[in-house]
Amino acid sequence: MGEIHPLTEIRPAHNGEVIRQKEIWKLCFGDADTFIDFYFENRYKAENTIVLLDKGKISAMLTQIPIRVVTPEQRSLNSAMFYAIATHPQDRHRGFATQIIEFSNAYLSKADKELSVLVPAEKPLFEFYHKLGYQEGFYIRETLLQAKEIDHMADQRSCSCKITPIIPKKYNQRRDQQLKGNLYVAYEEDEIVYQKKISQLSGADIYAMDSGEVRGCAAIERLSSDKVLVKELLIADQLLPSALQAIALCLPAQEYIVRTPIFRGKNLGGSVHPFGMFWTCRNNKSEFRPEASGYLGLAFD
């Protein structure tokens, strides 16, 4: 673990410390106060938050979201996703991000967690996390589609697809079923509840996708009146065109950003790129294979 200055303290957050954390969040991520308040009211838990204090004042923070990494053999690895890693702009270039990440990984190891997973906010950060021992291991296929392209694909469909809002518990069941047999990140129901709230806040929702006896799901956010993010679309490949048509009818827009696992959606084109990285705890005895193209999906990015 990196050296910590005597005047620096790293520990789990205490209740009553959110004002400073909100300030750092706004300075680092630029979100509106309404969204920041929404996050702290609906997702924030002090016990899942690590803070770094310099001379008694919070200078950096990190959230640990409980997750499970499920292997193709259905082994479940208790893990955590690091989220909202932020350092106050006045305290940057002092190694605080490195210190809080290394502390958090040591903290997880003591709690018998097996992996930590994170999603770099921008491409240059991949190299930064490489230096901290992280490896790329979670990929997505991302495609930008115009509304007219979806209309054209729909002309070739052989069946229709129905889209309806779904409760988080049912969404999670469908999600696990769609991803079974692959390496993927599984979420607690609380995280799907939060995703549903985010989606609804944007003007969309999480959905059941049904075609006959075939079941799928989609988590969608409206980015603007003209752009929709299909954050996660899980359904059989042959039903993707009709699923996208149903989405376009439900949420009209000019452009759709569509994310799928790399083992789905090849006919959509787009690009495959690393989305997440992982760090293996020293006491991890599992047979986690870094070369496996795992799927992370929802990252609250």
Side-chain angles (χ1 to χ4, degrees):
M1 186 181 300
E3 182 180 352
I4 298 176
H5 192 276
L7 296 178
T8 299
E9 177 189 8
I10 307 178
R11 58 164 171 77
H14 296 163
N15 291 326
E17 294 182 326
V18 299
I19 293 176
R20 177 66 171 176
Q21 292 176 61
K22 286 183 177 183
E23 177 188 343
I24 293 173
W25 186 297
K26 188 172 184 66
L27 289 169
C28 291
F29 305 127
D31 291 318
D33 290 340
T34 51
F35 178 80
I36 297 172
D37 290 340
F38 173 84
Y39 170 82
F40 278 87
E41 289 170 7
N42 291 279
R43 174 61 192 81
Y44 177 79
K45 294 179 181 178
E47 64 268 26
N48 290 342
T49 305
I50 303 297
V51 293
L52 181 151
L53 294 83
D54 182 54
K55 299 177 183 177
K57 195 170 187 178
I58 296 175
S59 294
M61 62 186 193
L62 177 155
T63 297
Q64 299 179 346
I65 299 175
I67 59 171
R68 292 177 296 109
V69 176
V70 182
T71 71
E73 300 78 28
Q74 292 296 288
R75 294 189 64 249
S76 183
L77 312 179
N78 287 326
S79 308
M81 179 186 292
F82 289 174
Y83 176 68
I85 305 170
T87 301
H88 195 288
Q90 293 179 349
D91 294 314
R92 288 175 181 167
H93 311 297
R94 298 178 62 189
F96 286 172
T98 296
Q99 290 179 30
I100 200 169
I101 290 169
E102 290 183 339
F103 175 92
S104 297
N105 277 326
Y107 188 86
L108 291 181
S109 293
K110 291 178 182 177
D112 292 326
K113 301 290 185 182
E114 299 192 70
L115 300 165
S116 70
V117 175
L118 51 79
V119 176
E122 51 189 7
K123 195 170 183 180
L125 285 175
F126 277 87
E127 184 56 35
F128 170 73
Y129 291 122
H130 274 306
K131 293 177 181 178
L132 296 180
Y134 281 83
Q135 302 176 62
E136 296 169 5
F138 297 92
Y139 295 76
I140 59 167
R141 182 183 305 279
E142 190 167 87
T143 309
L144 177 62
L145 295 171
Q146 303 298 317
K148 60 184 179 181
E149 294 179 274
I150 293 176
D151 287 341
H152 177 70
M153 285 192 294
D155 290 339
Q156 304 170 23
R157 73 187 188 283
S158 58
C159 54
S160 61
C161 190
K162 182 181 179 183
I163 178 171
T164 51
I166 189 172
I167 62 173
K169 181 178 181 179
K170 295 292 186 182
Y171 185 96
N172 229 4
Q173 290 173 350
R174 289 182 179 227
R175 186 178 190 274
D176 288 339
Q177 187 60 41
Q178 283 288 324
L179 295 171
K180 188 176 181 179
N182 297 282
L183 178 69
Y184 73 98
V185 170
Y187 296 94
E188 301 293 333
E189 188 176 332
D190 282 352
E191 308 312 326
I192 307 300
V193 169
Y194 179 58
Q195 178 60 58
K196 184 175 179 72
K197 290 178 179 179
I198 292 177
S199 294
Q200 291 179 328
L201 185 67
S202 76
D205 212 325
I206 60 173
Y207 299 95
M209 308 296 299
D210 296 310
S211 181
E213 298 299 317
V214 180
R215 304 285 182 259
C217 57
I220 306 177
E221 296 174 20
R222 182 174 282 283
L223 303 181
S224 70
S225 60
D226 292 329
K227 185 172 288 189
V228 165
L229 170 62
V230 184
K231 204 169 192 179
E232 177 170 83
L233 178 56
L234 300 173
I235 199 165
D237 268 353
Q238 67 269 24
L239 292 173
L240 280 173
S242 53
L244 287 169
Q245 184 201 32
I247 290 169
L249 289 172
C250 179
L251 298 163
Q254 294 300 312
E255 292 184 335
Y256 296 83
I257 303 170
V258 181
R259 293 177 181 172
T260 64
I262 64 170
F263 49 84
R264 298 275 173 85
K266 291 182 180 179
N267 292 337
L268 297 180
S271 61
V272 171
H273 57 86
F275 188 55
M277 305 180 76
F278 71 92
W279 180 88
T280 305
C281 298
R282 291 184 180 88
N283 61 349
N284 180 9
K285 304 299 183 183
S286 69
E287 297 179 359
F288 185 74
R289 298 187 297 275
E291 70 275 8
S293 298
Y295 175 69
L296 191 150
L298 304 175
F300 315 111
D301 56 318

